[in-house]
Amino acid sequence: MYQYLIVCPLVFLAGFVDSIAGGGGLISLPAFLAAGIPPHLAIGTNKMSSTMGTVVSTARFAKNGYIKGFLSLIAAGFAIIGSTIGAHLSMLADERILKGMMLAALPVVAFYVLKNKNLGDNEEVNTLPKKKMYLITMTAAFIIGCYDGFYGPGTGTFLLLILTGLVKMDVRSASGTTKVINLSSNIAALVTFLINGKVLLPLGIASGLFCIAGHYLGSGMVVKNGLKVVRPVIMVVLLCLFVKIIKG
């Protein structure tokens, strides 16, 4: 029972944060580990709760018209391919290399967020030609998908920044598209863990319900307030990711 008391409230918080700016795994995965769940079971069970929550926030963005359907589906396919490649590479490469790269990159990303106060809410929204929009989105989905399979933390945050910065999406559409890409990656990973018996189903379902509540509340805040909510949460996520990498 104590595992539920530790995991469920923190997964709710993770779902809330993840639905707004990504990075919920920085909260939820340590929660499972802190409850004494072995690493592989923790990752698999975390994927289950995360997938359940992401379904809800994705549906809420879709209901409000903030998901570019065809573009999101194509990007999701590229993300799945990238995630599969990244997962295989993670078994071969030294994770310290990527951590070193992230330590250098995160301050630059944080500076960009601080400097760019609009994050997609300006006159440049939807000004990118359609071909460039598709090309950049698919490339980003594949590369970030590789990162997600290889290492993972902050995947949604990086996607959100690319879609608002390079693709010129408004922050709500970028959040919706990010959710579709994340959901596809989560489902692919969850199926793998389920096949290999690495999911604690009772805890996964219970924590998933809390994650659903967090995603529902968080996505509702993005739909209503957009940039006012997203920008500060992104900064908190980047700071947490930076601390996590330093501590190893």
Side-chain angles (χ1 to χ4, degrees), residues 27 38 42 61 67 69 80 92 107 116 130 177 179-180 216 227 231 239 243:
I27 301 171
F61 279 112
I67 292 179
I80 291 173
L92 304 173
N116 185 0
K130 192 172 182 178
T177 303
K179 289 294 164 287
V180 174
Y216 184 83
L227 186 62
R231 190 166 175 268
L239 177 61
V243 171

PDB file of all heavy atoms in Angstrom, residues 27 38 42 61 67 69 80 92 107 116 130 177 179-180 216 227 231 239 243:
ATOM      1  N   ILE A  27       9.626  13.570 -12.800  1.00  0.00           N
ATOM      2  CA  ILE A  27       8.959  13.427 -11.503  1.00  0.00           C
ATOM      3  C   ILE A  27       8.473  11.992 -11.297  1.00  0.00           C
ATOM      4  O   ILE A  27       8.688  11.398 -10.237  1.00  0.00           O
ATOM      5  CB  ILE A  27       7.760  14.392 -11.402  1.00  0.00           C
ATOM      6  CG1 ILE A  27       8.219  15.843 -11.574  1.00  0.00           C
ATOM      7  CG2 ILE A  27       7.028  14.209 -10.065  1.00  0.00           C
ATOM      8  CD1 ILE A  27       7.079  16.829 -11.712  1.00  0.00           C
ATOM      9  N   PRO A  38      11.856  -2.147  -8.764  1.00  0.00           N
ATOM     10  CA  PRO A  38      13.074  -2.389  -9.548  1.00  0.00           C
ATOM     11  C   PRO A  38      13.062  -1.576 -10.843  1.00  0.00           C
ATOM     12  O   PRO A  38      11.993  -1.340 -11.420  1.00  0.00           O
ATOM     13  CB  PRO A  38      13.014  -3.895  -9.837  1.00  0.00           C
ATOM     14  CG  PRO A  38      12.173  -4.452  -8.736  1.00  0.00           C
ATOM     15  CD  PRO A  38      11.152  -3.399  -8.433  1.00  0.00           C
ATOM     16  N   ALA A  42       9.928  -0.342 -12.948  1.00  0.00           N
ATOM     17  CA  ALA A  42       9.596   1.073 -12.737  1.00  0.00           C
ATOM     18  C   ALA A  42       9.401   1.780 -14.073  1.00  0.00           C
ATOM     19  O   ALA A  42       8.439   2.534 -14.266  1.00  0.00           O
ATOM     20  CB  ALA A  42      10.697   1.762 -11.930  1.00  0.00           C
ATOM     21  N   PHE A  61      -6.761  18.301 -26.492  1.00  0.00           N
ATOM     22  CA  PHE A  61      -6.241  19.219 -27.502  1.00  0.00           C
ATOM     23  C   PHE A  61      -6.956  19.005 -28.835  1.00  0.00           C
ATOM     24  O   PHE A  61      -7.265  19.958 -29.552  1.00  0.00           O
ATOM     25  CB  PHE A  61      -4.732  19.033 -27.674  1.00  0.00           C
ATOM     26  CG  PHE A  61      -3.908  19.730 -26.631  1.00  0.00           C
ATOM     27  CD1 PHE A  61      -3.187  19.004 -25.688  1.00  0.00           C
ATOM     28  CD2 PHE A  61      -3.842  21.113 -26.586  1.00  0.00           C
ATOM     29  CE1 PHE A  61      -2.430  19.641 -24.717  1.00  0.00           C
ATOM     30  CE2 PHE A  61      -3.077  21.764 -25.619  1.00  0.00           C
ATOM     31  CZ  PHE A  61      -2.379  21.033 -24.682  1.00  0.00           C
ATOM     32  N   ILE A  67      -4.748  20.197 -32.888  1.00  0.00           N
ATOM     33  CA  ILE A  67      -3.851  19.168 -33.438  1.00  0.00           C
ATOM     34  C   ILE A  67      -3.957  19.169 -34.955  1.00  0.00           C
ATOM     35  O   ILE A  67      -5.049  19.059 -35.512  1.00  0.00           O
ATOM     36  CB  ILE A  67      -4.198  17.765 -32.891  1.00  0.00           C
ATOM     37  CG1 ILE A  67      -3.884  17.696 -31.401  1.00  0.00           C
ATOM     38  CG2 ILE A  67      -3.427  16.688 -33.639  1.00  0.00           C
ATOM     39  CD1 ILE A  67      -4.204  16.367 -30.753  1.00  0.00           C
ATOM     40  N   GLY A  69      -3.843  17.201 -37.781  1.00  0.00           N
ATOM     41  CA  GLY A  69      -4.007  15.756 -37.890  1.00  0.00           C
ATOM     42  C   GLY A  69      -2.996  15.025 -38.749  1.00  0.00           C
ATOM     43  O   GLY A  69      -2.240  14.184 -38.254  1.00  0.00           O
ATOM     44  N   ILE A  80       8.401   7.075 -33.816  1.00  0.00           N
ATOM     45  CA  ILE A  80       8.474   5.649 -33.468  1.00  0.00           C
ATOM     46  C   ILE A  80       9.749   5.031 -34.036  1.00  0.00           C
ATOM     47  O   ILE A  80      10.457   4.283 -33.357  1.00  0.00           O
ATOM     48  CB  ILE A  80       7.226   4.908 -33.978  1.00  0.00           C
ATOM     49  CG1 ILE A  80       5.988   5.338 -33.182  1.00  0.00           C
ATOM     50  CG2 ILE A  80       7.420   3.399 -33.877  1.00  0.00           C
ATOM     51  CD1 ILE A  80       4.690   4.786 -33.721  1.00  0.00           C
ATOM     52  N   LEU A  92      24.524   0.286 -26.801  1.00  0.00           N
ATOM     53  CA  LEU A  92      25.886   0.251 -27.323  1.00  0.00           C
ATOM     54  C   LEU A  92      26.736   1.426 -26.870  1.00  0.00           C
ATOM     55  O   LEU A  92      27.944   1.284 -26.661  1.00  0.00           O
ATOM     56  CB  LEU A  92      25.855   0.236 -28.867  1.00  0.00           C
ATOM     57  CG  LEU A  92      25.046  -0.889 -29.529  1.00  0.00           C
ATOM     58  CD1 LEU A  92      24.984  -0.654 -31.038  1.00  0.00           C
ATOM     59  CD2 LEU A  92      25.657  -2.246 -29.216  1.00  0.00           C
ATOM     60  N   PRO A 107      21.784  25.108 -20.894  1.00  0.00           N
ATOM     61  CA  PRO A 107      21.829  26.554 -20.641  1.00  0.00           C
ATOM     62  C   PRO A 107      21.470  27.371 -21.882  1.00  0.00           C
ATOM     63  O   PRO A 107      20.842  28.430 -21.776  1.00  0.00           O
ATOM     64  CB  PRO A 107      23.291  26.792 -20.229  1.00  0.00           C
ATOM     65  CG  PRO A 107      23.745  25.485 -19.688  1.00  0.00           C
ATOM     66  CD  PRO A 107      23.061  24.460 -20.537  1.00  0.00           C
ATOM     67  N   ASN A 116      13.138  34.632 -25.757  1.00  0.00           N
ATOM     68  CA  ASN A 116      11.958  34.586 -26.614  1.00  0.00           C
ATOM     69  C   ASN A 116      10.702  34.526 -25.743  1.00  0.00           C
ATOM     70  O   ASN A 116      10.241  33.451 -25.364  1.00  0.00           O
ATOM     71  CB  ASN A 116      12.027  33.367 -27.542  1.00  0.00           C
ATOM     72  CG  ASN A 116      10.891  33.333 -28.542  1.00  0.00           C
ATOM     73  OD1 ASN A 116      10.039  34.213 -28.558  1.00  0.00           O
ATOM     74  ND2 ASN A 116      10.879  32.306 -29.371  1.00  0.00           N
ATOM     75  N   LYS A 130       4.298  25.226 -46.187  1.00  0.00           N
ATOM     76  CA  LYS A 130       3.847  23.905 -45.766  1.00  0.00           C
ATOM     77  C   LYS A 130       4.937  22.842 -45.900  1.00  0.00           C
ATOM     78  O   LYS A 130       5.102  21.986 -45.017  1.00  0.00           O
ATOM     79  CB  LYS A 130       2.623  23.500 -46.597  1.00  0.00           C
ATOM     80  CG  LYS A 130       1.898  22.284 -46.053  1.00  0.00           C
ATOM     81  CD  LYS A 130       0.586  22.061 -46.793  1.00  0.00           C
ATOM     82  CE  LYS A 130      -0.172  20.873 -46.212  1.00  0.00           C
ATOM     83  NZ  LYS A 130      -1.480  20.673 -46.906  1.00  0.00           N
ATOM     84  N   THR A 177       0.387  18.864 -31.029  1.00  0.00           N
ATOM     85  CA  THR A 177       1.204  18.018 -31.903  1.00  0.00           C
ATOM     86  C   THR A 177       2.239  17.244 -31.094  1.00  0.00           C
ATOM     87  O   THR A 177       2.506  16.066 -31.357  1.00  0.00           O
ATOM     88  CB  THR A 177       1.914  18.883 -32.965  1.00  0.00           C
ATOM     89  OG1 THR A 177       0.928  19.622 -33.700  1.00  0.00           O
ATOM     90  CG2 THR A 177       2.718  18.026 -33.928  1.00  0.00           C
ATOM     91  N   LYS A 179       1.906  16.215 -28.078  1.00  0.00           N
ATOM     92  CA  LYS A 179       1.218  15.130 -27.375  1.00  0.00           C
ATOM     93  C   LYS A 179       1.017  13.914 -28.288  1.00  0.00           C
ATOM     94  O   LYS A 179       1.162  12.776 -27.855  1.00  0.00           O
ATOM     95  CB  LYS A 179      -0.129  15.620 -26.846  1.00  0.00           C
ATOM     96  CG  LYS A 179      -0.016  16.585 -25.697  1.00  0.00           C
ATOM     97  CD  LYS A 179       0.567  15.915 -24.465  1.00  0.00           C
ATOM     98  CE  LYS A 179       1.043  16.927 -23.440  1.00  0.00           C
ATOM     99  NZ  LYS A 179       2.276  17.620 -23.819  1.00  0.00           N
ATOM    100  N   VAL A 180       0.677  14.149 -29.554  1.00  0.00           N
ATOM    101  CA  VAL A 180       0.485  13.030 -30.490  1.00  0.00           C
ATOM    102  C   VAL A 180       1.788  12.266 -30.677  1.00  0.00           C
ATOM    103  O   VAL A 180       1.820  11.027 -30.656  1.00  0.00           O
ATOM    104  CB  VAL A 180      -0.025  13.538 -31.856  1.00  0.00           C
ATOM    105  CG1 VAL A 180      -0.081  12.390 -32.872  1.00  0.00           C
ATOM    106  CG2 VAL A 180      -1.403  14.158 -31.709  1.00  0.00           C
ATOM    107  N   TYR A 216      -5.541  16.026 -17.488  1.00  0.00           N
ATOM    108  CA  TYR A 216      -6.795  16.721 -17.785  1.00  0.00           C
ATOM    109  C   TYR A 216      -6.737  18.167 -17.293  1.00  0.00           C
ATOM    110  O   TYR A 216      -7.086  19.102 -18.024  1.00  0.00           O
ATOM    111  CB  TYR A 216      -7.965  15.985 -17.140  1.00  0.00           C
ATOM    112  CG  TYR A 216      -9.315  16.583 -17.472  1.00  0.00           C
ATOM    113  CD1 TYR A 216      -9.954  16.261 -18.668  1.00  0.00           C
ATOM    114  CD2 TYR A 216      -9.932  17.470 -16.611  1.00  0.00           C
ATOM    115  CE1 TYR A 216     -11.183  16.821 -18.992  1.00  0.00           C
ATOM    116  CE2 TYR A 216     -11.157  18.042 -16.920  1.00  0.00           C
ATOM    117  CZ  TYR A 216     -11.778  17.711 -18.115  1.00  0.00           C
ATOM    118  OH  TYR A 216     -12.988  18.271 -18.424  1.00  0.00           O
ATOM    119  N   LEU A 227       0.376  30.639 -23.371  1.00  0.00           N
ATOM    120  CA  LEU A 227       1.744  31.032 -23.057  1.00  0.00           C
ATOM    121  C   LEU A 227       1.954  31.363 -21.590  1.00  0.00           C
ATOM    122  O   LEU A 227       3.023  31.099 -21.035  1.00  0.00           O
ATOM    123  CB  LEU A 227       2.131  32.230 -23.928  1.00  0.00           C
ATOM    124  CG  LEU A 227       3.577  32.710 -23.852  1.00  0.00           C
ATOM    125  CD1 LEU A 227       4.526  31.614 -24.313  1.00  0.00           C
ATOM    126  CD2 LEU A 227       3.770  33.967 -24.681  1.00  0.00           C
ATOM    127  N   ARG A 231       5.289  28.851 -20.548  1.00  0.00           N
ATOM    128  CA  ARG A 231       6.653  29.380 -20.452  1.00  0.00           C
ATOM    129  C   ARG A 231       7.300  29.172 -19.071  1.00  0.00           C
ATOM    130  O   ARG A 231       8.419  28.657 -18.984  1.00  0.00           O
ATOM    131  CB  ARG A 231       6.664  30.861 -20.829  1.00  0.00           C
ATOM    132  CG  ARG A 231       8.059  31.446 -21.004  1.00  0.00           C
ATOM    133  CD  ARG A 231       7.970  32.805 -21.708  1.00  0.00           C
ATOM    134  NE  ARG A 231       9.269  33.429 -21.768  1.00  0.00           N
ATOM    135  CZ  ARG A 231       9.724  34.278 -20.848  1.00  0.00           C
ATOM    136  NH1 ARG A 231       8.966  34.582 -19.813  1.00  0.00           N
ATOM    137  NH2 ARG A 231      10.921  34.811 -20.956  1.00  0.00           N
ATOM    138  N   LEU A 239      15.326  23.381 -15.561  1.00  0.00           N
ATOM    139  CA  LEU A 239      16.148  23.437 -14.351  1.00  0.00           C
ATOM    140  C   LEU A 239      16.235  22.057 -13.696  1.00  0.00           C
ATOM    141  O   LEU A 239      17.330  21.616 -13.303  1.00  0.00           O
ATOM    142  CB  LEU A 239      15.557  24.449 -13.363  1.00  0.00           C
ATOM    143  CG  LEU A 239      16.266  24.575 -12.005  1.00  0.00           C
ATOM    144  CD1 LEU A 239      17.719  25.019 -12.208  1.00  0.00           C
ATOM    145  CD2 LEU A 239      15.521  25.548 -11.096  1.00  0.00           C
ATOM    146  N   VAL A 243      19.637  19.721 -13.164  1.00  0.00           N
ATOM    147  CA  VAL A 243      20.037  19.189 -11.850  1.00  0.00           C
ATOM    148  C   VAL A 243      20.168  17.675 -11.901  1.00  0.00           C
ATOM    149  O   VAL A 243      21.103  17.082 -11.357  1.00  0.00           O
ATOM    150  CB  VAL A 243      19.032  19.608 -10.758  1.00  0.00           C
ATOM    151  CG1 VAL A 243      19.312  18.889  -9.454  1.00  0.00           C
ATOM    152  CG2 VAL A 243      19.066  21.115 -10.551  1.00  0.00           C
TER     153      VAL A 243
END
